[in-house]
C-alpha cells in the first residue's frame, strides 16, 4: 500500500529534522529537501529507516523555482501529497539594513518568501479537491522576528517572515473550500544551528521562560496542525516561543 507523502523543506537538521522524524512515526513516507548538506540529509533518512519508517531526500535550493519543481516531481513518484511543511529558511547574516547588499536581500526573499509561494502553489495543484486532489495540509514556518522586527539584527529576515504570516491567512481563506488547511508555526529562540554559538545562552535570562526552545517542541506543534485533531484549524499561527 502506497503511503501518503509528507514533504519537509530544509529537513536535514534542526527543526526540519525533528518534524521529519515525527512525521515518519505517524506513518507517512517523508521526503526531505536539503540545499547542500547531502550527508546530513542522508543521516536523517537513515535514522528514520532504522526506526522502521520510510524516508527519502532530494537536493533542492528552495530559492530556485527549477529546484522546487524537481522536488515536487520526486514527491509525485512516491505517492499522494498529504502535507507540505515549508521549513527551510535563511537569515542572511546579522547587521543593519544599510550595510546589506542587493544580492543578500534578494536571496533571503527568494528562499524565505518566494519559495514558500511557489511551493504552496505546487502543493495546492496536487491537493485541491477542485483540481482532483484529496485535500491536505500546508504548514508554513514563520518566526517571532516577524512581529518583533529584529532591528539591528536582520530586519530583511523579519520582513520575509511577515510575508509568511500574511500568506498563511490569505491562502487559508482562498483554498478552505478545496480541502486544504493552511497554518503557520512561529518559533522563538530555538536551539538550532541558525544561531551564532553562544547567543542563546547569552539571552536566556531575558526570555520569559529563561531558556530557549527545542526543535521537538516546534515539531509537536507542526504535527498537531497536520493531524485530524486540527480539522477545523486553518489560517492560524501557533507561537512556539515561550511567551516571547
Amino acid at each position: 500500500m502506497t503511503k501518503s507523502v509528507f514533504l519537509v523543506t530544509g529537513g536535514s537538521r534542526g527543526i526540519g529534522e525533528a518534524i521529519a522524524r515525527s512525521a515518519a512515526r505517524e506513518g507517512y513516507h517523508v521526503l526531505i529537501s536539503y540545499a547542500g548538506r547531502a550527508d546530513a540529509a542522508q543521516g536523517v533518512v537513515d535514522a528514520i529507516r532504522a526506526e522502521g519508517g520510510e524516508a527519502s531526500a532530494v537536493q533542492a535550493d528552495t530559492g530556485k523555482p527549477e529546484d522546487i519543481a524537481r522536488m515536487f516531481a520526486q514527491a509525485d513518484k512516491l505517492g499522494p501529497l498529504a502535507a507540505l511543511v515549508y521549513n527551510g529558511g535563511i537569515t542572511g547574516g546579522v547587521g543593519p539594513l544599510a550595510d546589506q547588499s542587493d544580492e543578500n536581500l534578494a536571496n533571503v526573499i527568494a528562499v524565505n518568501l518566494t519559495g514558500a509561494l511557489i511551493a504552496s502553489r505546487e502543493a495546492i495543484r496536487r491537493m485541491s479537491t477542485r483540481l482532483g486532489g484529496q485535500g491536505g495540509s500546508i504548514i508554513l514556518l514563520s518566526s517571532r522576528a516577524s512581529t518583533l522586527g529584529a532591528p539591528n539584527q536582520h530586519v530583511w529576515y523579519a520582513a520575509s517572515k511577515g510575508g509568511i504570516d500574511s500568506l498563511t491567512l490569505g491562502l487559508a481563506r482562498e483554498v478552505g473550500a478545496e480541502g486544504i488547511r493552511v497554518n503557520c508555526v512561529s518559533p522563538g529562540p530555538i536551539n538550532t544551528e541558525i544561531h551564532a554559538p553562544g547567543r542563546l545562552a547569552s539571552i536566556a535570562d531575558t526570555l520569559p521562560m529563561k531558556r530557549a526552545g527545542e526543535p521537538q517542541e516546534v515539531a509537536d506543534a507542526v504535527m498537531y496542525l497536520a493531524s485530524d485533531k486540527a480539522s477545523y484549524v486553518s489560517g492560524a499561527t501557533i507561537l512556539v516561543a515561550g511567551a516571547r
Side-chain angles (χ1 to χ4, degrees), residues 16-26 30 44 47-48 51 216:
E17 177 181 357
I19 294 167
R21 297 182 70 163
S22 295
R25 294 185 190 111
E26 293 296 322
V30 176
V44 176
I48 288 173
E51 293 182 357
Q216 189 60 50

Side-chain angles (χ1 to χ4, degrees), residues 168-232:
T168 298
L169 183 58
L171 194 57
R173 292 172 174 174
E174 184 169 293
V175 299
E178 299 175 28
I180 304 172
R181 294 183 299 106
V182 184
N183 289 293
C184 179
V185 173
S186 183
I190 305 296
N191 186 19
T192 70
E193 295 177 13
I194 200 170
H195 296 283
R199 177 178 181 268
L200 294 180
S202 71
I203 66 171
D205 284 344
T206 71
L207 303 176
M209 293 181 66
K210 307 303 180 185
R211 70 171 179 89
E214 294 298 327
Q216 189 60 50
E217 293 175 300
V218 180
D220 289 343
V222 169
M223 294 312 299
Y224 162 71
L225 291 172
S227 76
D228 290 341
K229 293 179 180 179
S231 58
Y232 199 56

Side-chain angles (χ1 to χ4, degrees), residues 12-34:
S12 66
R13 57 181 173 165
I15 292 171
E17 177 181 357
I19 294 167
R21 297 182 70 163
S22 295
R25 294 185 190 111
E26 293 296 322
Y28 293 99
H29 186 122
V30 176
L31 176 62
I32 63 171
S33 75
Y34 63 94

